[in-house]
């Protein structure tokens, strides 16, 4: 077996904020902009704690996913939704090509380019473990979303699958009910899938970590989750 350099970790949080830049009016209330419609509540705090514990680079999305969704390709119509969860996003209706290009250039590409730069550097030196932090609303589907967390990954990438399973097993052993590829599959469009297409599977591991919004507002639990996840990552093999 070829020996690899130690694994390096990159932390990102694409939906860290519900803020809207000056000059853009989405036509939504402050209440909606603070909800899961606009942001992944609690994900930013966990990402910050995790990055601090691992001394890892941290990239945070600065604006609401409704301004531009950093987890969508720029040619996907869903990158600037005109309707979501039954809400009209008036500020995204009738956008011209120039409007879209301006938002992509200012708010979308810099985050993705920075993530790619870190991932490429880490992969060139050894192995990049990219943890993209998200949270999910359990009320969307109460029957299936009663667990604490999910880890999303590509089951066809053997190394990624092995590391994801180790993280899931580690969290479960620490009392967190954790699922494989829930509440979403790990391969549809996202920042991690975008990077998988550009980097070799033995060098890049792209995992989305989904925490339940049923507990993320409990600061003590969120801190413990980040600490548990960091401890697991520190114990992972690099091959």
């Amino acid at each position: 077996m070829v020996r690899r350099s130690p694994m390096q970790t990159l932390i990102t949080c694409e939906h860290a904020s519900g803020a809207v830049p000056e000059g853009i009016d989405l036509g939504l209330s402050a209440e909606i902009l603070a909800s899961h419609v606009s942001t992944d509540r609690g994900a930013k705090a966990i990402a910050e704690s995790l990055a601090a514990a691992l001394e890892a680079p941290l990239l945070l999305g600065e604006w609401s996913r409704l301004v531009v969704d950093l987890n969508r390709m720029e040619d996907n119509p869903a990158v600037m939704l005109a309707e979501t969860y039954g809400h009209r996003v008036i500020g995204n209706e009738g956008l011209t090509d120039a409007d879209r290009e301006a938002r992509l250039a200012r708010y979308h590409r810099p985050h993705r380019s920075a993530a790619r730069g870190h991932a490429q550097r880490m992969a060139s030196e050894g192995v990049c473990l990219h943890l993209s932090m998200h949270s999910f609303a359990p009320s969307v589907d109460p029957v299936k979303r009663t667990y604490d967390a999910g880890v999303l990954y590509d089951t066809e990438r053997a190394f990624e699958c092995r590391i994801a399973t180790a993280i899931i097993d580690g969290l479960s052993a620490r009392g967190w009910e954790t699922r494989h590829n829930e509440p979403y599959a790990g391969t549809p469009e996202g920042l991690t899938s975008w990077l998988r297409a550009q980097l070799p599977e033995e060098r890049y591991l792209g995992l989305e970590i989904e925490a339940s919004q049923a507990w993320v507002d409990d600061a003590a639990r969120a801190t413990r989750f980040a600490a548990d996840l960091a401890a697991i990552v520190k114990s992972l093999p690099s091959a």
Side-chain angles (χ1 to χ4, degrees):
M1 179 181 295
V2 177
R3 294 184 62 83
R4 296 185 175 92
S5 300
M7 187 180 294
Q8 298 181 66
T9 308
L10 167 65
I11 311 297
T12 69
C13 185
E14 283 59 62
H15 303 147
S17 174
V20 178
E22 185 176 351
I24 294 178
D25 182 3
L26 296 177
L28 297 170
S29 68
E31 181 180 10
I32 292 175
L33 290 173
S35 75
H36 188 67
V37 171
S38 174
T39 183
D40 279 1
R41 199 176 76 242
K44 177 183 177 182
I46 296 173
E48 290 175 331
S49 294
L50 186 59
L54 295 172
E55 298 182 332
L58 172 65
L59 299 175
L60 298 173
E62 297 182 50
W63 310 107
S64 166
R65 75 172 98 218
L66 300 179
V67 173
V68 66
D69 193 334
L70 299 175
N71 223 29
R72 295 289 177 266
M73 296 284 282
E74 61 180 66
D75 60 354
N76 185 336
V79 76
M80 296 172 210
L81 287 169
E83 182 177 350
T84 181
Y85 292 95
H87 301 285
R88 287 178 61 196
V89 187
I90 297 172
N92 288 350
E93 295 177 352
L95 291 175
T96 65
D97 290 344
D99 293 333
R100 292 175 63 85
E101 173 59 27
R103 280 202 208 174
L104 290 169
R106 186 167 184 179
Y107 306 120
H108 187 271
R109 291 176 192 143
H111 181 89
R112 288 203 158 206
S113 294
R116 179 169 55 192
H118 281 294
Q120 287 175 331
R121 175 184 58 78
M122 292 177 180
S124 71
E125 297 170 355
V127 177
C128 173
L129 173 61
H130 175 196
L131 301 179
S132 173
M133 192 67 222
H134 297 261
S135 68
F136 64 89
S139 60
V140 173
D141 191 342
V143 175
K144 295 182 179 179
R145 293 185 169 187
T146 57
Y147 45 90
D148 295 313
V151 178
L152 316 187
Y153 60 96
D154 186 346
T155 58
E156 298 299 315
R157 291 166 77 101
F159 189 18
E160 184 171 294
C161 184
R162 188 162 71 252
I163 293 300
T165 298
I167 290 174
I168 292 167
D169 290 347
L171 287 171
S172 297
R174 288 166 171 77
W176 301 97
E177 185 178 349
T178 309
R179 304 286 182 86
H180 292 258
N181 283 315
E182 290 192 39
Y184 313 106
T187 51
E189 182 179 327
L191 179 59
T192 54
S193 58
W194 181 68
L195 289 172
R196 285 190 199 114
Q198 303 174 62
L199 296 165
E201 63 180 277
E202 70 275 9
R203 295 284 185 168
Y204 172 77
L205 314 175
L207 311 182
E208 289 192 26
I209 309 297
E210 290 274 356
S212 175
Q213 292 177 9
W215 57 263
V216 292
D217 291 329
D218 182 330
R221 291 188 70 184
T223 298
R224 181 167 67 86
F225 182 82
D228 286 346
L229 182 53
I232 294 164
V233 169
K234 288 177 182 179
S235 71
L236 290 172
S238 61

